[in-house]
């Protein structure tokens, strides 16, 4: 682990960040049981979100020259909650900078953003999150649901 | 159970259908462990979807004067799949018309719609689906994922 200077800031990612975001998400999918990293797919998905801010927002914690952590928020509608809700995906801290509470800083920013914008709920859809990840999210008030996720993937 | 005539058709719901859609979703949430039926919330959520077709589509199987079944598709983006994906929620068959394969007809319509529109995946986010529901979805090719869903709900 290496430390970054104190001049970190959190802001929405832009298209210029795409190469670094692809690297971070590919790292994440390499660790997840349900997914394979795929440069083309990660680029397509990230680009769609960056180009359509009404569908979601990618926030990054960065220095002037490096992205230290990212999180991907997708905006959708809940008939149960009666309003807009967030799907939180792709929370990744760069491997060189883990254990330094950058993930916590980013999550606090996300919760503040969600409350200010009147989102009704945040759901985590990340696959196969570890016990450590679960403890992380429990600390922010997340709770387990009774949902049983099922998926149908269409062949390319 | 009562039967409806053969003149059923599947089409997108409109704002005029709102009262019947509210009744159907409230029925559903009454059966689900994680949710309470709430007329105001269901109306708000359904209205938002009907008013913003780029965010989702509610399909209904109907006769001239009655909605027999509904399903709610929400459109979002996946960085794993590299494109648009569907969240399938609120699949409900009217209590008077269960066991007559209306759910199957609606699901076949959804799968056809998803493939034609090049969606990459469908994920079910319905809470606490029963063993019978799971068998229903398995029959269409859905599979269990390793996702562990967690949620943070904001107080009103």
């Amino acid at each position: 682990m290496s430390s970054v200077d104190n001049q970190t800031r959190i802001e929405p990612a832009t298209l210029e960040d795409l190469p670094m975001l692809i690297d971070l998400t590919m790292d994440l999918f390499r660790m997840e049981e349900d997914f394979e990293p795929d440069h083309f797919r990660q680029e397509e998905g990230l680009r769609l979100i960056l180009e359509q801010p009404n569908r979601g927002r990618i926030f990054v914690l960065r220095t002037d020259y490096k992205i230290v952590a990212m999180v991907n928020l997708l905006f959708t509608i809940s008939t149960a909650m009666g309003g807009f809700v967030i799907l939180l995906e792709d929370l990744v801290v760069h491997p060189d900078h883990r254990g330094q509470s950058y993930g916590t800083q980013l999550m606090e920013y996300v919760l503040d953003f969600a409350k200010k914008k009147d989102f009704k709920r945040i759901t985590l859809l990340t696959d196969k999150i570890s016990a450590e990840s679960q403890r992380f999210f429990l600390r922010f008030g997340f709770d387990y649901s009774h949902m049983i996720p099922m998926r149908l993937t269409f062949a390319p």
Side-chain angles (χ1 to χ4, degrees), chain A:
Chain A
M1 288 190 293
S2 63
S3 69
V4 293
D5 64 32
N6 292 333
Q7 304 306 306
T8 59
R9 59 187 188 278
I10 296 174
E11 59 189 20
T14 68
L15 276 172
E16 287 175 24
D17 298 316
L18 197 48
M20 277 192 280
L21 298 174
I22 295 168
D23 286 348
L24 282 171
T25 49
M26 286 182 71
D27 273 354
L28 179 68
F29 295 143
R30 217 165 269 126
M31 296 182 293
E32 292 193 335
E33 193 169 336
D34 278 17
F35 293 111
E36 290 295 321
D38 180 317
H39 192 283
F40 175 78
R41 288 184 171 187
Q42 272 83 86
E43 177 167 356
E44 285 296 295
L46 291 163
R47 184 192 300 276
L48 281 171
I49 300 165
L50 293 170
E51 287 175 346
Q52 303 183 54
N54 67 322
R55 295 210 177 262
R57 203 69 42 87
I58 298 169
F59 286 115
V60 290
L61 186 151
R62 73 192 320 154
T63 64
D64 281 343
Y65 39 89
K66 184 172 188 180
I67 294 179
V68 176
M70 68 172 282
V71 65
N72 170 15
L73 307 181
L74 295 156
F75 309 147
T76 187
I77 295 164
S78 166
T79 56
M81 299 304 300
F84 281 89
V85 293
I86 288 174
L87 310 176
L88 187 154
E89 299 192 344
D90 309 337
L91 174 59
V92 201
V93 178
H94 191 286
D96 293 346
H97 302 288
R98 293 191 181 146
Q100 293 166 86
S101 80
Y102 292 120
T104 296
Q105 287 177 49
L106 202 47
M107 273 303 293
E108 284 169 353
Y109 187 93
V110 165
L111 297 191
D112 191 51
F113 170 83
K115 287 175 199 164
K116 276 187 186 151
K117 299 284 189 183
D118 198 29
F119 285 97
K120 308 297 187 193
R121 190 183 64 201
I122 302 177
T123 304
L124 298 181
L125 291 174
T126 310
D127 276 27
K128 188 70 179 175
I129 52 181
S130 66
E132 187 186 343
S133 294
Q134 289 175 47
R135 278 196 300 277
F136 175 84
F137 290 117
L138 288 168
R139 194 150 57 78
F140 289 100
F142 281 81
D143 209 346
Y144 298 100
S145 89
H146 294 93
M147 291 197 298
I148 302 169
M150 297 181 79
R151 300 187 309 185
L152 173 60
T153 303
F154 298 110

